[in-house]
Amino acid sequence: MNLSALGEFGLIERLARDLPNNPGQVVCGAGDDAAVLQAAGPDQLLFTTDMLVEEVHFSLTWATAEQVGVKALAVNVSDIAAMGGRPAYAVISLGVPERVTVEELDALYRGLRRTAREYGVNLVGGDTVACPDRLVINVALLGLVEPGRAVYRGGARPGDLIYVTGSLGKSAAGLFLCRHPETPVVPEAAAFARLAHLEPCARVQAGRLLAAAGVGAMDDISDGLAGELGEICRASGAGCRVRAGAVPVDPRVRLVAAAAGCDPLDWALYGGEDFELLFTVSPAGAARMEDKMAQAGEAVSLIGEITPAGDGMKIETGGVWRPLPARGYDHFLR
Amino acid sequence: MNLSALGEFGLIERLARDLPNNPGQVVCGAGDDAAVLQAAGPDQLLFTTDMLVEEVHFSLTWATAEQVGVKALAVNVSDIAAMGGRPAYAVISLGVPERVTVEELDALYRGLRRTAREYGVNLVGGDTVACPDRLVINVALLGLVEPGRAVYRGGARPGDLIYVTGSLGKSAAGLFLCRHPETPVVPEAAAFARLAHLEPCARVQAGRLLAAAGVGAMDDISDGLAGELGEICRASGAGCRVRAGAVPVDPRVRLVAAAAGCDPLDWALYGGEDFELLFTVSPAGAARMEDKMAQAGEAVSLIGEITPAGDGMKIETGGVWRPLPARGYDHFLR
């Protein structure tokens, strides 16, 4: 169905149906000038936003509209996870070109709703406007965290150990397969990588446990491990030493890399969008943190340690230490 | 300066300078994964978002980038005002085409900062991405309101009196002059109308007083008086009777309308973007509300009354009552 058959107000009414709204948290959801939310009690608020632009952050050539909805919310949830908080309330803005159909927007909202339910997020409002040329989605997300428990990027100290959750490079592997679907790789590996790229997961449970364990610094890996290490080192006034062999890469991602003729370490370091958590912990706290994470079924890998700022960022490959450039993805550099 | 000379991270650092951040409210502003904000105490939260798209909601042909920044924040503040709340925290997303210069983004942020200071808003973060073709600005705004005091659209009852703050049609008059700068009208009237369109004000003080006075329903006039009356009537299950002669129109807007050969009432009813408040109050509460507003120097005009739903929406012009179609601006209808 064409959008002009429905009109803006008809569309808003249609999209606002069955939004996840917990009555204990949402006094008034979508439909008024602003949503009204219950008092947050003693919790501090976390506030983040991310804009996704068609053919910059996603492509409807290989992602379904539902997957775009999943991703738009998940990348914001990941920011809340990286602070150690729990996501709570989101508002969604859509800039919609004329060619987009009502069914595509239904699917996009199906993805938003599914992801919201998965993470306990209330969808409480938004804005839907015409945007010729490109579909633009902005999500703003409000989270909650116990007072004083938020984990910042600047909390790393020389001697701290550096860990990551899960495995890296899977999103870059998936993007490669979206762009080169003819790559000869076993279906199970391809499916794993594509799903990691198209429907990323945010590590909320891991972030909550790590914040409670008092980790030093934490960041989500949206721009590649190297870029996020750079953020933590810069914010903390520190350097780091990382062992390439310790960077966790899923065997299925190695299969994709082999078929693609690419280096999976490159994907882990510079690929981005893995949305795992990168964090530091004091040597004294490491064993307890590892135990807690293991009990919760959350995989973590020790990949290196924080050094004084003067030492810069270094990576060891095959026994050789070399400088690790901290470049992440930059929207404006060419 | 070209954006590619600065890069995304250089740009973000530049834009994040001197953001209004009240240390009593902001624990950690822009620069980490999410902002950390003080607990809101017993207050309920208000959450709203608005997306502005170049050549749909604004044009750099007649607005300066600074004015675009003013407007992007003010339209969101207006939503919080319409709930009776006070605006508190905003995050800003920018989708930026290559042709936009660093100086233009500086100016846009100058407008955002100025408006944030004016309304006591903390600018606590955002996202800046590439968006070919068009500049897109999304603001998400968090406000606070005393528990139970938020004013909804659905609170109007038959017999209630209908009021508006300030005067209407001024933004449409300004837009006409932007499009037809050759219109022969006295400079003072032209300047008034253009400024109303390019740098709209949000009625936060009026909204706070009206919420405290216990008004029934309230809405900000973003889509024209007729459209907002329709929203209140629909949400309240009611109709309304409005007298055209009572709709407040500034004499300077009448001058512009005369020179333009347009009907100022049309601008008031269907022009939109005036960002005044439309509200209803019981006859018993009207005199006290009028006194309080007069004491605070806030102009209000009685324009009609709420009727039973079956009576529909009606307007009286020159002694004749006719139906008032509730159409507002629709992004997708043609």
Side-chain angles (χ1 to χ4, degrees):
Chain A
M1 194 195 311
N2 200 296
L3 285 178
S4 62
L6 206 56
E8 183 178 353
F9 302 101
L11 177 67
I12 290 169
E13 208 161 281
R14 185 179 174 116
L15 298 181
R17 277 182 210 154
D18 298 322
L19 294 180
N21 272 217
N22 178 331
Q25 297 179 287
V26 180
V27 181
C28 165
D32 217 299
D33 294 299
V36 183
L37 314 173
Q38 278 303 2
D43 283 338
Q44 291 179 326
L45 303 170
L46 301 170
F47 199 8
T48 187
T49 192
D50 270 302
M51 180 179 275
L52 271 64
V53 177
E54 189 176 2
E55 301 305 339
V56 175
H57 301 90
F58 66 88
S59 172
L60 290 170
T61 313
W62 48 67
T64 64
E66 183 168 341
Q67 289 174 322
V68 173
V70 169
K71 187 167 180 172
L73 187 51
V75 303
N76 280 278
V77 172
S78 180
D79 282 325
I80 299 298
M83 301 300 293
R86 48 192 203 282
Y89 307 102
V91 289
I92 315 293
S93 298
L94 294 181
V96 186
E98 223 171 292
R99 71 177 143 76
V100 172
T101 63
V102 173
E103 288 74 15
E104 282 177 297
L105 294 185
D106 282 345
L108 196 149
Y109 257 76
R110 207 154 50 234
L112 286 168
R113 276 196 211 89
R114 163 155 71 93
T115 308
R117 288 209 178 86
E118 197 176 324
Y119 294 106
V121 173
N122 300 286
L123 296 180
V124 297
D127 192 22
T128 306
V129 302
C131 181
D133 322 313
R134 275 162 209 270
L135 182 60
V136 178
I137 305 164
N138 194 88
V139 175
L141 179 60
L142 206 56
L144 300 169
V145 67
E146 296 76 4
R149 193 178 276 185
V151 185
Y152 300 93
R153 291 178 184 167
R157 298 291 167 261
D160 282 357
L161 305 178
I162 306 172
Y163 286 81
V164 292
T165 61
S167 73
L168 301 182
K170 53 192 186 292
S171 178
L175 178 60
F176 184 93
L177 292 175
C178 287
R179 286 185 173 146
H180 306 96
E182 73 292 351
T183 310
V185 66
V186 289
E188 199 246 327
F192 170 79
R194 285 177 55 95
L195 200 68
H197 179 68
L198 296 172
E199 300 188 24
C201 290
R203 298 293 180 205
V204 177
Q205 178 183 264
R208 300 284 297 149
L209 291 169
L210 292 167
V215 297
M218 188 152 64
D219 205 353
D220 68 321
I221 303 180
S222 53
D223 289 327
L225 177 60
E228 307 299 346
L229 279 168
E231 290 290 327
I232 285 183
C233 287
R234 199 170 59 147
S236 303
C240 68
R241 293 160 58 94
V242 167
R243 276 162 293 276
V247 173
V249 175
D250 191 278
R252 291 164 289 190
V253 170
R254 294 192 191 280
L255 286 176
V256 177
C262 293
D263 181 355
L265 183 65
D266 249 22
W267 284 346
L269 290 174
Y270 302 111
E273 301 204 334
D274 280 320
F275 300 109
E276 296 292 350
L277 297 176
L278 169 68
F279 62 96
T280 68
V281 63
S282 69
R288 222 173 89 88
M289 177 279 295
E290 285 196 19
D291 279 355
K292 280 184 61 173
M293 296 300 275
Q295 277 164 32
E298 295 280 352
V300 297
S301 304
L302 173 63
I303 61 167
E305 56 271 333
I306 297 291
T307 56
D311 294 0
M313 287 174 52
K314 298 224 167 57
I315 188 163
E316 179 261 344
T317 327
V320 182
W321 288 94
R322 56 186 172 89
L324 175 63
R327 69 181 156 87
Y329 182 78
D330 192 305
H331 270 95
F332 301 112
L333 290 182
R334 275 170 307 166
Chain B
M1 194 198 305
N2 201 295
L3 286 177
S4 62
L6 207 56
E8 183 178 354
F9 302 101
L11 177 67
I12 290 169
E13 207 161 282
R14 185 179 175 118
L15 298 181
R17 277 183 210 153
D18 298 322
L19 293 181
N21 272 215
N22 179 331
Q25 298 179 288
V26 180
V27 181
C28 166
D32 218 299
D33 294 299
V36 183
L37 313 173
Q38 279 302 1
D43 282 337
Q44 291 178 326
L45 304 170
L46 301 170
F47 199 7
T48 187
T49 192
D50 270 301
M51 181 178 275
L52 271 65
V53 177
E54 190 175 2
E55 301 306 339
V56 175
H57 301 89
F58 66 88
S59 171
L60 290 169
T61 314
W62 48 66
T64 65
E66 183 168 341
Q67 290 175 322
V68 173
V70 169
K71 187 167 180 172
L73 187 51
V75 302
N76 279 278
V77 172
S78 181
D79 282 325
I80 299 297
M83 302 299 292
R86 48 193 203 281
Y89 307 102
V91 289
I92 315 293
S93 298
L94 294 181
V96 186
E98 223 172 293
R99 72 178 141 77
V100 171
T101 63
V102 173
E103 289 74 15
E104 282 176 298
L105 294 185
D106 281 345
L108 196 149
Y109 257 76
R110 210 156 47 234
L112 286 168
R113 276 195 212 91
R114 164 155 69 93
T115 308
R117 289 208 177 85
E118 198 176 323
Y119 294 105
V121 173
N122 299 287
L123 296 179
V124 297
D127 192 22
T128 305
V129 301
C131 180
D133 322 313
R134 276 163 209 268
L135 182 60
V136 177
I137 305 163
N138 194 87
V139 175
L141 180 60
L142 205 56
L144 300 168
V145 68
E146 296 76 4
R149 192 177 278 184
V151 185
Y152 300 92
R153 291 179 185 165
R157 299 291 167 264
D160 282 358
L161 304 178
I162 306 173
Y163 285 81
V164 294
T165 62
S167 73
L168 302 182
K170 52 192 187 289
S171 177
L175 178 60
F176 184 93
L177 292 175
C178 287
R179 287 184 173 148
H180 306 97
E182 73 292 351
T183 310
V185 64
V186 289
E188 199 245 327
F192 169 79
R194 284 177 55 94
L195 200 67
H197 179 68
L198 297 171
E199 300 187 24
C201 291
R203 297 293 180 205
V204 177
Q205 179 183 263
R208 300 286 295 150
L209 291 170
L210 292 168
V215 296
M218 187 152 64
D219 204 353
D220 68 322
I221 303 180
S222 53
D223 289 328
L225 177 60
E228 307 300 345
L229 279 168
E231 290 290 327
I232 285 183
C233 287
R234 198 170 59 149
S236 303
C240 68
R241 293 159 57 93
V242 167
R243 276 162 295 275
V247 173
V249 176
D250 191 279
R252 291 164 290 191
V253 171
R254 295 193 190 279
L255 285 177
V256 177
C262 293
D263 181 354
L265 183 65
D266 249 23
W267 284 347
L269 290 175
Y270 301 111
E273 301 206 335
D274 279 321
F275 299 109
E276 296 292 350
L277 297 175
L278 170 66
F279 61 97
T280 67
V281 62
S282 68
R288 222 174 88 89
M289 178 280 293
E290 285 197 20
D291 279 355
K292 280 183 64 174
M293 296 300 275
Q295 277 165 33
E298 295 281 352
V300 297
S301 304
L302 173 63
I303 61 167
E305 54 270 336
I306 296 291
T307 56
D311 294 1
M313 289 174 53
K314 299 225 165 58
I315 188 164
E316 178 263 344
T317 327
V320 182
W321 287 95
R322 56 186 172 87
L324 176 63
R327 69 181 158 85
Y329 182 77
D330 192 304
H331 272 94
F332 300 113
L333 292 182
R334 274 169 305 164

